[in-house]
Amino acid sequence: MADQISIESVIFSNNVVEPGELLTCNITVKNTGSTILTNLKYAYYTVNGGNPIQLTFPSYLTPGSTTSKSFVLDTQNTGTITVCAYSNFP
């Protein structure tokens, strides 16, 4: 099996927030390949279809292991916030 990484989960601290509140998002990735992955810079997220933001994880991830990264979104605007997480492994 080649080197692979997958998005396992995207979890928010709250499902409903008021404008101006901070919202924590936690993204978990998994090494689904058979080799140790290094320099994990293959996961991204976008907010409301904006520019991709790269997530940098710990320096290595062994096969079958998962790791998570959290970030905070500022909900200044009203309405729905759409977060899309994806991997782009070369």
Side-chain angles (χ1 to χ4, degrees), residues 10-14 17-27 45-48 53 70-77 81-84:
V10 179
I11 299 173
F12 295 98
S13 57
N14 294 308
V17 295
E18 296 296 323
E21 290 183 340
L22 299 178
L23 178 66
T24 300
C25 181
N26 185 36
I27 296 179
Y45 71 94
T46 60
V47 177
N48 294 337
I53 300 166
S70 294
F71 57 92
V72 176
L73 297 172
D74 187 350
T75 62
Q76 293 180 15
N77 299 321
I81 296 174
T82 303
V83 175
C84 176

Side-chain angles (χ1 to χ4, degrees), residues 2 8 34 41 53 55 62:
E8 292 293 297
S34 59
K41 297 179 181 178
I53 300 166
L55 293 171
T62 58

Side-chain angles (χ1 to χ4, degrees), residues 50-90:
N51 291 328
I53 300 166
Q54 186 178 57
L55 293 171
T56 301
F57 291 88
S59 59
Y60 70 94
L61 187 61
T62 58
S65 296
T66 61
T67 188
S68 298
K69 184 75 170 191
S70 294
F71 57 92
V72 176
L73 297 172
D74 187 350
T75 62
Q76 293 180 15
N77 299 321
T78 59
T80 302
I81 296 174
T82 303
V83 175
C84 176
Y86 61 95
S87 64
N88 184 20
F89 200 85

Side-chain angles (χ1 to χ4, degrees), residues 29-48:
V29 297
K30 181 177 183 178
N31 179 349
T32 57
S34 59
T35 60
I36 295 173
L37 297 177
T38 58
N39 298 320
L40 294 176
K41 297 179 181 178
Y42 306 114
Y44 300 83
Y45 71 94
T46 60
V47 177
N48 294 337

